[in-house]
Amino acid sequence: MNVSTLSRRTLLAGAASCWALLRAASDHPVVSTHDGKVRGYIDQNINVFKGIPYGSDTAPRRFMKATRPQPWAGIRETVAFGPRAPQATLRQPMASSPFPTTEPISEDCLYLNIWTPSLSTQSKLPVMVYIHGGGYNAGSANSPGYDGVRLCHRGNVVVVTLNHRLNSFGFLYLSELGGPEYKDSGNVGMLDLVLALQWIRDNIAQFGGDSQRVLIFGESGGGAKNATLMGMPSAQGLFQRACSSSGETVTASRPETATGRARTVLTALGITGKNIDSIKTVPMEKLVEVTRATNYYGPVVDGGALPRHPFDPAAPNISAGIPFMVGTNHDESRLLIGRGNPAMFELTWETLPANLAKYSEKMGNLNLNDVIALYRRLHADYSASDVFFGATTDSRDWRPAVVEIERRAVLPKASAPTYSYQLDWRSPVDGGKWRACHALDLPFLFDNVAISHAMTGESQDAYWMAEQISEAYIAFARSGDPNNAKLPHWPPYGLTKRTTMSFNSESKSIDDPRGDERKLFSQVRYENPGT
């Protein structure tokens, strides 16, 4: 072998090695954040970073406002989800995600995930921040259903999901029992979201995003959290558009109500007023066990982080300049009630009144026979079960959405628009029994029908729904207006016409949908559970 051959072979081998290193580097993108460098991976030409800390471990600061993460040296691997927050339900409800998650549970849960088509600071792409459902008690962002790859491809956007503190860890109001040190305890779960949005403001440009075009969107409890953020002074300026899907917070917990819940928890733990600080060191598992015995947790009107009810007695003026999109599903309670009560699908006219009475807490003093009679008159084709699900959906789940959009509609004319929609498309799964139930919109919001057949079926019609709805969300993220080529014209909501987009196989704008039902239940003052 001569020298020239050896040199040529050595050169070729060296070039191949360099190419392999460059290829490996491009498959594992590295981004500098304010806290340190993170390394992700490529999925279908989308840069993915999972498990980026936006706050420190909350265990040492239990019931206190979280702090930013400690900076790190070197490169942090961000290729797997971070832990979930402690859960107040034994199983993850379908309302928060149609998929189970397997990541560990920990108080060290302040992590976010990013999908982005670009890492150029010049891209300035719209940023879509999804806040997960599960009420304020449970749920997680660590779900295949929340994968952002398809949204990135469809809309050339940046997608962010995140975890935060829940239930007693995020909303146990100890201020009136434990003093100033606990002043934020009733809202630290919401303040986690503020901290995450601050992290996004400071770092998202490095991931191709525009910190001045941030949309917060969420389904079920996520929608409720977004409504709460609209009433929090510390959140203002951190997002420029907001969406609430199948979840609203008209009223938060009053301090006296939240203090009563805290006393219940302390009593169950054997903690008296003199040693309240010992709750900081109760083992996480023990606190979870006690938490599960209390049926509600949520934000508290504490005069600080949340100075007033989010949408009561009016929409918050501090977010009047933020375009708002509010949506519900036509048959929410078919899942929310029917999933755990199959007998509700077999009601007769004789058994309907007694069963409706069990779920009539949002019907006030209305005569239930009159409620049933109205539904039978308006919907001659309804069965007894159809009336049950119609009345419970409209009074419990649709009603607060109406309150929010009505109160937005009377803000000064210079205020940003509010858009109303309802999902009318019915799932064909299980013989069609679920119809347009709670959580059916999740695969459509993320354009993830391909992995959600258990909810949507596999028809082309389901994919068409995903096109329409995800395009509306992308357009809204981009400009604050959901109108796009996939839909007919969609005007903002006003009290004269109450125009609402009906998402269906053939979507259309309709005026005052379910107007008679709206008038019926508007006679009852609405307050959220736990107020």
Side-chain angles (χ1 to χ4, degrees):
M1 182 179 297
N2 61 39
V3 174
S4 60
T5 302
L6 177 62
S7 299
R8 187 167 56 252
R9 288 183 178 178
T10 302
L11 179 63
L12 290 173
S17 176
C18 289
W19 172 250
L21 289 172
L22 287 171
R23 177 68 181 272
S26 65
D27 286 347
H28 294 83
V30 174
V31 173
S32 293
T33 75
H34 285 200
D35 305 306
K37 293 182 178 181
V38 295
R39 177 160 42 217
Y41 64 95
I42 304 292
D43 184 359
Q44 302 173 58
N45 295 319
I46 299 299
N47 303 283
V48 183
F49 302 82
K50 293 179 178 177
I52 302 177
Y54 69 84
S56 295
D57 184 356
T58 67
R61 293 180 57 82
R62 188 184 281 178
F63 309 122
M64 299 172 66
K65 189 176 178 180
T67 57
R68 297 188 66 152
Q70 290 295 315
W72 57 86
I75 300 176
R76 185 184 184 112
E77 299 295 332
T78 53
V79 297
F81 291 122
R84 294 174 289 156
Q87 305 285 297
T89 55
L90 294 175
R91 65 177 182 177
Q92 189 174 9
M94 192 174 179
S96 66
S97 170
F99 303 94
T101 55
T102 57
E103 286 74 25
I105 288 174
S106 172
E107 292 184 70
D108 182 13
C109 61
L110 304 188
Y111 295 89
L112 55 77
N113 318 295
I114 299 175
W115 291 260
T116 178
S118 172
L119 296 177
S120 169
T121 58
Q122 302 304 309
S123 294
K124 295 189 178 300
L125 303 177
V127 182
M128 301 180 67
V129 181
Y130 182 76
I131 298 176
H132 71 73
Y136 292 98
N137 278 356
S140 166
N142 303 352
S143 165
Y146 302 148
D147 185 273
V149 167
R150 287 188 59 83
L151 273 181
C152 288
H153 279 304
R154 179 176 289 282
N156 199 31
V157 295
V158 178
V159 177
V160 182
T161 66
L162 58 99
N163 287 336
H164 65 100
R165 280 177 285 183
L166 302 164
N167 49 73
S168 66
F169 294 87
F171 301 98
L172 187 65
Y173 183 62
L174 297 166
S175 178
E176 297 186 9
L177 302 175
E181 182 181 359
Y182 296 95
K183 67 182 179 66
D184 295 318
S185 58
N187 290 303
V188 292
M190 293 303 307
L191 290 170
D192 290 347
L193 297 178
V194 173
L195 184 64
L197 290 169
Q198 290 171 339
W199 188 98
I200 291 166
R201 176 198 60 197
D202 297 340
N203 293 281
I204 205 64
Q206 305 302 316
F207 297 86
D210 184 352
S211 64
Q212 296 306 304
R213 282 198 296 175
V214 173
L215 162 73
I216 56 171
F217 71 117
E219 184 269 346
S220 192
K225 295 161 195 170
N226 291 343
T228 303
L229 285 167
M230 292 182 76
M232 295 180 65
S234 61
Q236 299 313 298
L238 299 176
F239 58 94
Q240 291 72 43
R241 306 89 163 84
C243 295
S244 172
S245 168
S246 299
E248 298 76 26
T249 298
V250 175
T251 56
S253 291
R254 298 184 181 93
E256 58 269 28
T257 307
T259 298
R261 283 196 296 269
R263 282 198 178 99
T264 300
V265 170
L266 293 171
T267 298
L269 291 170
I271 296 174
T272 65
K274 295 181 180 179
N275 65 340
I276 190 173
D277 286 348
S278 63
I279 195 172
K280 296 178 184 178
T281 55
V282 170
M284 182 188 77
E285 294 77 10
K286 178 63 177 177
L287 187 53
V288 167
E289 178 186 343
V290 170
T291 294
R292 287 174 176 164
T294 306
N295 62 9
Y296 179 85
Y297 291 93
V300 181
V301 180
D302 62 0
L306 188 61
R308 48 154 283 180
H309 293 293
F311 275 82
D312 190 73
N317 285 322
I318 59 173
S319 57
I322 296 175
F324 192 33
M325 186 163 69
V326 181
T328 62
N329 298 352
H330 189 276
D331 308 292
E332 302 271 5
S333 70
R334 282 182 172 263
L335 180 79
L336 290 171
I337 297 175
R339 187 185 186 208
N341 297 275
M344 297 302 103
F345 290 94
E346 305 295 336
L347 295 177
T348 66
W349 296 116
E350 291 71 29
T351 61
L352 171 60
N355 282 283
L356 186 60
K358 298 174 185 177
Y359 297 92
S360 63
E361 69 275 11
K362 296 304 178 187
M363 300 183 194
N365 294 323
L366 294 176
N367 185 294
L368 294 188
N369 289 325
D370 292 342
V371 172
I372 293 169
L374 176 73
Y375 277 84
R376 295 192 72 173
R377 177 174 62 81
L378 295 174
H379 308 283
D381 60 330
Y382 270 22
S383 68
S385 289
D386 293 338
V387 170
F388 172 84
F389 289 123
T392 51
T393 291
D394 295 346
S395 63
R396 294 156 51 100
D397 307 306
W398 179 56
R399 170 72 178 139
V402 173
V403 172
E404 287 185 357
I405 56 181
E406 284 182 337
R407 291 178 179 174
R408 283 275 301 192
V410 297
L411 288 171
K413 289 185 178 180
S415 301
T418 301
Y419 294 89
S420 170
Y421 75 82
Q422 66 183 32
L423 176 63
D424 288 320
W425 186 84
R426 297 178 176 184
S427 170
V429 171
D430 293 337
K433 67 183 289 186
W434 304 110
R435 298 191 183 178
C437 68
H438 192 69
L440 181 61
D441 52 335
L442 279 172
F444 305 145
L445 300 182
F446 280 89
D447 194 16
N448 277 333
V449 169
I451 58 174
S452 306
H453 294 158
M455 295 179 69
T456 65
E458 303 183 62
S459 69
Q460 286 304 307
D461 212 27
Y463 285 93
W464 170 233
M465 293 309 303
E467 280 194 48
Q468 294 182 86
I469 294 177
S470 63
E471 290 277 4
Y473 270 76
I474 289 165
F476 193 71
R478 182 164 284 111
S479 68
D481 184 336
N483 281 283
N484 66 88
K486 302 288 183 182
L487 294 172
H489 181 58
W490 181 356
Y493 189 90
L495 292 182
T496 302
K497 291 188 174 181
R498 301 175 181 272
T499 305
T500 298
M501 178 58 65
S502 167
F503 280 114
N504 212 327
S505 300
E506 189 173 331
S507 297
K508 57 185 177 182
S509 289
I510 55 179
D511 293 340
D512 199 13
R514 292 180 276 177
D516 289 316
E517 295 93 327
R518 174 184 58 77
K519 293 172 185 175
L520 172 68
F521 294 119
S522 67
Q523 300 174 61
V524 180
R525 170 176 163 75
Y526 185 85
E527 288 191 348
N528 280 81
T531 299

